[in-house]
Amino acid sequence: MAKRQFAVIGLGRFGSSVAKYLSELGYEVLAVDDNAQRVQDISHAVTHAVSADSTDEEAMTALGIRNFDVVVVAIGQDIQSSILTTLILKDLGVPYIIVKAQNDLHGKVLNKIGADKVVFPERDMGLRVAHHLISPNILEHIELSVDYSIVEMKVPSSMVGKNLKQLDIRLKYNCNVLAVKRNGEMNITPRADEALVSEDVLVIVGKNVQLTKLEQAYAEL
């Protein structure tokens, strides 16, 4: 089975990192930007790098953009270009379009015109930084919806030697421990009476408000 082919339009910090990472994973990647220097800078790291105007339908057709399985629109501050590019990609029949949004209003417009997935890299990074500032033990924060998230929490010193029954995270914080990661292995049925060790990582799901309370309670700044 052939590997999926990706195109990334817009080679700012976000677009470049996505293109390079996909390329490192072994996928064929076309990188597109109207800035020749950005194209030159990434040319060694991807399969193809082209200088083109993504708001020019003829230029996109000439690149064969419709033949790519996924196109990531990572255009920076130019919201108009982002929207117009997305419309052109839809008209050309691109199967799956992921678009970077600057704000909620931009995201709503992108959803209405048919973007398959809208991402908010600046906002999401801000959330991760904020959660890390609250508690450095938070290794990962994944937003499931407006109200719910999953966090990976390195066991703080105050939890070491205690077990899940003693901690009673569900009763105290209305959050559920989904799994315990130990030595790189995920245990989705952790024993309630087994003592936690300092290397353990708890995978916890809950409402954002409750997760924040949990993080603050075990913060070790």
Side-chain angles (χ1 to χ4, degrees):
M1 185 176 175
K3 281 189 176 181
R4 289 191 296 171
Q5 295 180 315
F6 295 86
V8 179
I9 299 173
L11 301 175
R13 186 182 303 172
F14 174 69
S16 293
S17 63
V18 170
K20 289 175 182 176
Y21 185 64
L22 289 169
S23 188
E24 287 170 6
L25 291 175
Y27 291 99
E28 181 174 330
V29 179
L30 168 67
V32 181
D33 199 289
D34 59 3
N35 184 304
Q37 185 59 54
R38 285 181 174 177
V39 171
Q40 179 63 34
D41 290 344
I42 204 172
S43 60
H44 67 285
V46 297
T47 315
H48 304 287
V50 178
S51 179
D53 179 2
S54 61
T55 64
D56 182 340
E57 187 169 349
E58 290 185 4
M60 292 295 98
T61 302
L63 286 176
I65 203 78
R66 73 179 69 191
N67 298 320
F68 287 81
D69 301 292
V70 180
V71 177
V72 180
V73 181
I75 294 170
Q77 299 299 319
D78 191 342
I79 291 177
Q80 184 174 328
S81 292
S82 166
I83 293 169
L84 185 52
T85 298
T86 304
L87 284 170
I88 288 172
L89 296 175
K90 288 296 293 184
D91 286 345
L92 291 176
V94 173
Y96 197 83
I97 304 168
I98 302 173
V99 191
K100 169 189 171 183
Q102 295 296 324
N103 50 52
D104 288 337
L105 181 58
H106 184 198
K108 286 179 182 178
V109 173
L110 292 169
N111 279 317
K112 284 185 179 296
I113 63 175
D116 296 286
K117 184 174 179 62
V118 176
V119 296
F120 299 84
E122 282 83 6
R123 185 187 72 182
D124 293 345
M125 181 55 70
L127 280 172
R128 287 179 180 167
V129 170
H131 279 276
H132 186 73
L133 289 172
I134 291 170
S135 173
N137 290 316
I138 300 301
L139 305 176
E140 185 63 88
H141 180 276
I142 303 168
E143 191 176 353
L144 299 176
S145 69
V146 174
D147 297 317
Y148 288 87
S149 296
I150 293 176
V151 297
E152 289 191 1
M153 180 180 189
K154 187 177 183 297
V155 168
S157 57
S158 55
M159 284 188 183
V160 173
K162 296 180 181 178
N163 58 44
L164 296 178
K165 187 175 181 180
Q166 291 171 317
L167 294 171
D168 207 359
I169 289 172
R170 180 186 294 194
L171 179 64
K172 292 178 180 176
Y173 301 101
N174 200 26
C175 297
N176 290 314
V177 177
L178 298 178
V180 177
K181 289 201 324 193
R182 180 175 294 177
N183 299 324
E185 297 204 0
M186 185 83 75
N187 179 7
I188 60 172
T189 55
R191 284 171 42 197
D193 60 351
E194 184 174 355
L196 298 170
V197 300
S198 59
E199 292 79 17
D200 286 345
V201 174
L202 303 180
V203 182
I204 307 168
V205 65
K207 279 193 170 184
N208 295 327
V209 173
Q210 297 302 122
L211 286 170
T212 298
K213 289 180 181 178
L214 172 63
E215 292 167 17
Q216 290 174 330
Y218 288 98
E220 294 183 337
L221 294 174

